[in-house]
Amino acid sequence: MTHAQSLAMNAAIPQSNGKRKARTADQSLNRFAGFGTITVLLFAFLYLPIIILVVFSFNASTTISVWEGFTFKWYWIAAHNTDLHRAALNTLLIGSVATVGSVLLAIPAALVLSGRAETGSGGKYLLILSLPLMLPEIMIAIATLILFTTIGLNLGIGNVMIAHTVFCLPFALMPILARLRGMDHRLSEAAYDLYASRWQCFRLVVLPLLAPGIVTGAMLAFIVSFDNFIITLMVSGAGGTTLPLYIYGLVKTQMTPELNAISTGVLLLSLALLSTAFVLTKGRILGVSGMSE
């Protein structure tokens, strides 16, 4: 046996052991009685209502749960609903402003926290910035309303933008900070050794490496803002109706398949955003490491 063959066999042993361990783990899971049934029921509980919602968005009946035939009528009605268009535009505008604002605040915050982590003082600041993740949303909504009322801030839809930007900050911060902590800081040191200024190092070295974290944080911030209901309900004024508030109004007044059509449109938009982020980050947004290899 040659030396190369010996190395090849030695390299193959850990792989075969790893495959054997994975196969053993799968077999140990399969030994649990009803494990497969519970898994199927779990996925059915999660996705079957969504499938039913999409199917009944093509229902010709005026009731939301009685099937009377196939039609695109409710999509046509939703497409010509001016109140829906206004609410959707408000939602997209608020989400875009909150996303840009939270990301612009999260990037310098992540840089500062990453630097303070070396001295051990970054934990308390990270805790303060992460409070919106841990506090009940109703508490944040009431506190924000009290603050705006106390200082007399009345910017209409601007109040919602400010509240969403602050609330989305930790959602944008966490992926950026995780990406920053996983970077090889020797690249920045090499840039300084090549006489790069701080701005040049940030723009040409740090920012491109942070791009996956920034995209992930921006997507999370936009989805959180797009879906927010409680804070929006508390701080919005006249003309500040968003899509969640409009859908809630439909639920309170009339339940027609138009609501299913609107929900299906929101679902398709969410899938489009997630797919875009998945492609831009090469699967890292979902932790699919194989996409980046």
Side-chain angles (χ1 to χ4, degrees):
M1 180 182 297
T2 64
H3 180 64
Q5 291 173 333
S6 178
L7 291 176
M9 291 184 63
N10 292 334
I13 291 175
Q15 295 177 0
S16 61
N17 290 338
K19 293 180 180 178
R20 189 178 301 112
K21 291 180 180 179
R23 192 180 302 112
T24 304
D26 293 339
Q27 292 174 354
S28 63
L29 287 176
N30 291 331
R31 282 203 299 267
F32 289 101
F35 180 80
T37 303
I38 293 174
T39 303
V40 172
L41 291 176
L42 176 62
F43 279 100
F45 178 79
L46 288 175
Y47 296 109
L48 188 58
I50 298 177
I51 296 174
I52 294 175
L53 181 144
V54 174
V55 171
F56 274 86
S57 68
F58 301 99
N59 185 15
S61 172
T62 56
T63 59
I64 199 169
S65 58
V66 178
W67 182 263
E68 292 185 0
F70 184 89
T71 182
F72 287 101
K73 176 179 67 174
W74 301 109
Y75 286 93
W76 187 90
I77 294 176
H80 292 79
N81 189 332
T82 56
D83 293 333
L84 173 62
H85 295 169
R86 191 178 301 109
L89 289 176
N90 286 342
T91 303
L92 293 175
L93 178 61
I94 294 170
S96 300
V97 172
T99 299
V100 173
S102 59
V103 168
L104 290 179
L105 292 174
I107 292 175
L111 293 173
V112 172
L113 290 174
S114 179
R116 289 186 177 272
E118 300 176 357
T119 62
S121 61
K124 55 184 179 182
Y125 298 106
L126 179 60
L127 178 63
I128 295 173
L129 291 174
S130 303
L131 282 178
L133 290 172
M134 297 176 285
L135 295 177
E137 190 175 343
I138 184 64
M139 181 187 299
I140 298 174
I142 295 174
T144 305
L145 177 62
I146 294 174
L147 174 63
F148 287 166
T149 304
T150 302
I151 65 178
L153 186 64
N154 187 14
L155 301 177
I157 197 173
N159 286 15
V160 184
M161 293 177 181
I162 296 173
H164 278 212
T165 299
V166 176
F167 183 72
C168 293
L169 176 58
F171 294 93
L173 174 64
M174 293 305 175
I176 297 175
L177 184 60
R179 178 65 177 172
L180 186 62
R181 288 177 173 175
M183 285 171 46
D184 188 354
H185 294 283
R186 291 177 298 180
L187 297 174
S188 300
E189 296 174 0
Y192 290 133
D193 290 339
L194 295 173
Y195 304 101
S197 64
R198 287 183 176 272
W199 169 246
Q200 288 175 327
C201 179
F202 173 76
R203 181 170 60 89
L204 300 176
V205 179
V206 177
L207 194 59
L209 294 175
L210 278 181
I214 293 174
V215 172
T216 305
M219 297 300 302
L220 288 176
F222 184 82
I223 292 173
V224 168
S225 174
F226 187 91
D227 190 49
N228 188 273
F229 175 78
I230 298 178
I231 294 177
T232 309
L233 180 65
M234 287 291 182
V235 303
S236 65
T241 301
T242 60
L243 199 55
L245 294 183
Y246 181 78
I247 293 175
Y248 176 74
L250 288 181
V251 173
K252 297 289 288 185
T253 56
Q254 55 179 349
M255 296 281 287
T256 65
E258 181 187 2
L259 181 61
N260 292 342
I262 296 172
S263 302
T264 302
V266 173
L267 174 64
L268 293 176
L269 177 62
S270 301
L271 291 177
L273 292 174
L274 182 60
S275 301
T276 303
F278 186 88
V279 172
L280 292 177
T281 60
K282 298 181 180 179
R284 286 188 291 267
I285 188 173
L286 298 178
V288 185
S289 59
M291 291 288 296
S292 60
E293 293 179 356

